[in-house]
Amino acid sequence: LAKTTQPISMDSYEGQEVNITCSHNNIATNDYITWYQQFPSQGPRFIIQGYKTKVTNEVASLFIPADRKSSTLSLPRVSLSDTAVYYCLVGDMNTGFQKLVFGTGTRLLVSP
Amino acid sequence: GAVVSQHPSWVICKSGTSVKIECRSLDFQATTMFWYRQFPKQSLMLMATSNEGSKATYEQGVEKDKFLINHASLTLSTLTVTSAHPEDSSFYICSASQSVQETQYFGPGTRLLVL
């Protein structure tokens, strides 16, 4: 299973763009990259998923370089409610991301 | 996206009693569900994989006789913590996906406190 490395924590202010980078040097050919958000005492919430280049949805963008050994989650104009822990995971789409291995995640604190 | 529910959302019990936690996929069928445990300020740790109609697969270090898993239907998996002790106090979270090619969606979690 590919291991991921993220910064332990990040600080930001309301209205700023936040970019969280995740390293996954041993990502496999069939692996997809998925990001989850978790608030205290809640289950993780799916944010975005991608395989290569750029993916964008209504809440975030995911940038994946050609070598796929890292990925960057971009949150545009964060608000206080974006304070949460963000997890980057890689998993084989063919097996449905079986046995997801959660790393430490990145604790994002958004201040006024 | 797919909706996964858990019941109860929180439970307090005495040491030595058993507690059952339900995980339901509300708008889809899930052949496989997963159970995680999360201690305060820590990440999620996979406990076991729940397979509909067959035995669960437990991760190393997780006692199968203590954490009983039953996946009797395509929409319901249950986790029973038997003879609970204070060290079992934790946040238990399940996840499920519509098919093996789909992203996993997580339930809201169940907070267990054993006194």
Side-chain angles (χ1 to χ4, degrees):
Chain A
L1 294 172
K3 179 181 177 181
T4 60
T5 304
Q6 305 173 232
I8 296 292
S9 64
M10 292 183 68
D11 294 323
S12 184
Y13 293 96
E14 281 189 294
Q16 290 189 334
E17 177 185 77
V18 172
N19 296 307
I20 306 174
T21 298
C22 177
S23 297
H24 27 79
N25 291 317
N26 59 339
I27 189 169
T29 302
N30 291 330
D31 284 343
Y32 277 68
I33 301 156
T34 308
W35 285 79
Y36 287 90
Q37 175 193 54
Q38 186 182 29
F39 296 112
S41 297
Q42 294 187 28
R45 182 176 75 102
F46 172 81
I47 301 176
I48 198 167
Q49 182 181 87
Y51 183 80
K52 62 180 180 180
T53 62
K54 176 184 176 181
V55 179
T56 297
N57 61 23
E58 62 275 10
V59 297
S61 294
L62 179 60
F63 298 92
I64 306 169
D67 65 6
R68 303 199 330 120
K69 293 186 177 183
S70 67
S71 60
T72 299
L73 173 72
S74 182
L75 304 173
R77 298 182 61 77
V78 295
S79 63
L80 297 178
S81 62
D82 291 318
T83 293
V85 178
Y86 293 82
Y87 293 99
C88 160
L89 297 98
V90 295
D92 189 336
M93 178 64 98
N94 292 328
T95 60
F97 299 87
Q98 299 273 333
K99 300 180 69 170
L100 289 178
V101 178
F102 281 79
T104 58
T106 297
R107 192 172 298 272
L108 173 65
L109 174 62
V110 180
S111 300
Chain B
V3 180
V4 178
S5 71
Q6 284 185 238
H7 178 80
S9 57
W10 60 271
V11 58
I12 302 174
C13 69
K14 293 182 179 180
S15 184
T17 60
S18 294
V19 175
K20 179 184 287 187
I21 302 170
E22 295 184 347
C23 175
R24 294 182 185 271
S25 54
L26 296 185
D27 50 1
F28 66 98
Q29 295 183 329
T31 305
T32 304
M33 292 182 175
F34 302 87
W35 287 96
Y36 297 80
R37 180 168 53 181
Q38 185 176 34
F39 293 106
K41 301 294 185 182
Q42 295 187 21
S43 186
L44 284 78
M45 292 188 61
L46 179 66
M47 298 175 66
T49 303
S50 173
N51 304 297
E52 188 268 336
S54 64
K55 293 182 179 180
T57 304
Y58 291 83
E59 294 301 300
Q60 189 174 8
V62 179
E63 299 176 56
K64 63 179 181 180
D65 294 329
K66 180 169 183 63
F67 298 99
L68 300 179
I69 292 174
N70 183 277
H71 195 153
S73 77
L74 288 172
T75 59
L76 173 64
S77 175
T78 60
L79 168 68
T80 301
V81 183
T82 62
S83 186
H85 292 289
E87 58 265 30
D88 297 323
S89 297
S90 187
F91 192 51
Y92 292 87
I93 310 170
C94 70
S95 72
S97 60
Q98 289 181 259
S99 69
V100 293
Q101 284 81 30
E102 297 279 338
T103 301
Q104 285 190 41
Y105 291 91
F106 288 80
T110 297
R111 175 76 61 189
L112 171 63
L113 176 61
V114 184
L115 302 177

